[in-house]
Amino acid sequence: TGTTETWYVVQADCLLFQSNREDPCHPGKSFVPVLIRLENKNDGEKQTWWHPAENDTSMTDPKYLSWLLAKMYFRCADWGIYSIGTHYARAHAMNEVFASSMYRNLPSA
């Protein structure tokens, strides 16, 4: 119809690896991100894939910083999707049940 859709949340996917390495902060097995895909429907560009830098990369290297930024962006996108779903489920979908029931069962005036 000639209208364009605006997407405020980036589609983000993450490939995780289950590591057996012991971490003092998280005992037991932990999930380690291996590959992150970020896709924005507004810019018309292809999706971007991010992977971790080599082990000997310094913390000021642009490859390390781009991987860190991709992890932060994924976490924000993941939280955005979760909060949108939670807000809809708790605020709108739950109240619709009560509104329909009241409309059907209560007298009109």
Side-chain angles (χ1 to χ4, degrees):
T1 60
T3 61
T4 59
E5 293 184 28
T6 303
W7 295 75
Y8 294 104
V9 177
V10 171
Q11 293 180 358
D13 295 321
C14 183
L15 178 66
L16 299 171
F17 172 74
Q18 186 175 4
S19 174
N20 292 328
R21 182 175 36 170
E22 289 294 327
D23 186 5
C25 297
H26 309 297
K29 296 180 180 180
S30 63
F31 290 109
V32 179
V34 177
L35 192 66
I36 294 176
R37 179 181 69 100
L38 301 174
E39 182 178 2
N40 187 355
K41 294 289 186 181
N42 289 335
D43 59 8
E45 294 182 11
K46 289 184 170 182
Q47 58 197 6
T48 53
W49 297 85
W50 304 93
H51 56 85
E54 302 296 326
N55 289 337
D56 57 350
T57 306
S58 69
M59 295 179 111
T60 57
D61 188 22
K63 290 181 181 180
Y64 174 79
L65 294 175
S66 64
W67 172 244
L68 183 63
L69 185 62
K71 289 194 302 184
M72 290 173 18
Y73 212 96
F74 172 77
R75 181 168 259 184
C76 289
D78 187 45
W79 179 253
I81 294 293
Y82 170 76
S83 62
I84 288 171
T86 303
H87 169 74
Y88 173 76
R90 291 184 180 165
H92 301 284
M94 192 65 174
N95 290 337
E96 184 178 350
V97 175
F98 294 108
S100 299
S101 177
M102 286 179 16
Y103 179 74
R104 290 179 184 167
N105 295 318
L106 293 179
S108 60

